[in-house]
Amino acid sequence: MFDPTQFPITQRWPAAHPERLQLYSLPTPNGVKVSIMLEEIGLPYETHLVDISKNETWTPEFLSLNPNGKIPAILDPHGPGGKPLALFESGAILLYLAEKSGQFLPQDAALRYETIQWVFFQMAAVGPMFGQLGFFHKFAGREYEDKRPLERYQKESKRLLGVLENRLAGRDWIMGTDYTIADISLLGWVRNLIGFYEARELIEFDSFPLVGQWLERGLARPAVQRGVNIPARPV
């Protein structure tokens, strides 16, 4: 039987339902990847809000689960072989949940790896570039006199949107007719870019109509609508 006390993180964030998968997160673009996926697959889970504004990811309890000090992270009491599995990195968690549930990742080997490459595209390119653009456009970086960093990330973000625009030509979703973890990995970041980061005009988002239509399709999904607000932010 699963003993949550074996994991220090449960001392700070106790599990009311230890038989369920435990999600430690905040509704950031990276965090909502996992909450959206969990809502999509219907797997019972319990959420724990980790407040990054209070540096809770740097507490010993959280670092015991993710030594990199970033959300999201999960603790699955029913991992491979029936043993508990602690996992961090949103891309790895998406892959794990897709394989665990048998959903949103093609069974065909070639299509599976093609899907995974687009998840890695989000992890390696879209997330870092959009995040830096947000910093230099909306947050402390906007006060910098040197505007070259902002210009660099603005240009690169537009280029990445162009990659998505080209990919979506003739496709409803990144992989064509099937919605996959590739879409789930990207939706929160594109939404954040034109929403929270307030960069719609800066990156001329309306010049990428296929990306805009894809985003609307994704945000119309009930699971996505729920997932982008899980866990609820502190008031």
Side-chain angles (χ1 to χ4, degrees), residues 42-172:
L43 183 69
Y45 69 103
E46 181 177 356
T47 61
H48 304 278
L49 187 141
V50 181
D51 193 343
I52 60 177
S53 70
K54 297 179 180 178
N55 293 320
E56 289 186 342
T57 57
W58 302 111
T59 60
E61 294 88 353
F62 189 85
L63 290 172
S64 71
L65 189 60
N66 182 359
N68 193 38
K70 304 291 183 182
I71 59 94
I74 65 169
L75 176 56
D76 185 359
H78 309 292
K83 298 180 180 180
L85 175 69
L87 200 61
F88 65 91
E89 282 297 331
S90 56
I93 297 172
L94 282 182
L95 285 168
Y96 171 68
L97 293 175
E99 292 182 345
K100 180 182 178 75
S101 67
Q103 299 180 62
F104 305 114
L105 184 63
Q107 294 298 311
D108 176 83
L111 293 176
R112 180 176 182 273
Y113 282 108
E114 188 177 349
T115 304
I116 291 171
Q117 80 176 350
W118 284 101
V119 174
F120 284 12
F121 166 77
Q122 181 279 304
M123 300 289 294
V126 169
M129 294 301 106
F130 286 13
Q132 293 292 346
L133 178 65
F135 174 79
F136 285 102
H137 176 59
K138 181 173 180 178
F139 299 107
R142 66 183 176 183
E143 305 299 331
Y144 293 4
E145 292 184 9
D146 188 348
K147 298 305 178 185
R148 286 176 294 179
L150 173 61
E151 292 169 357
R152 164 173 166 71
Y153 295 118
Q154 175 189 18
K155 181 178 180 180
E156 183 65 3
S157 294
K158 290 178 66 175
R159 186 190 71 80
L160 293 170
L161 287 172
V163 173
L164 288 176
E165 183 77 5
N166 290 335
R167 174 65 182 181
L168 288 165
R171 295 181 174 90
D172 285 341

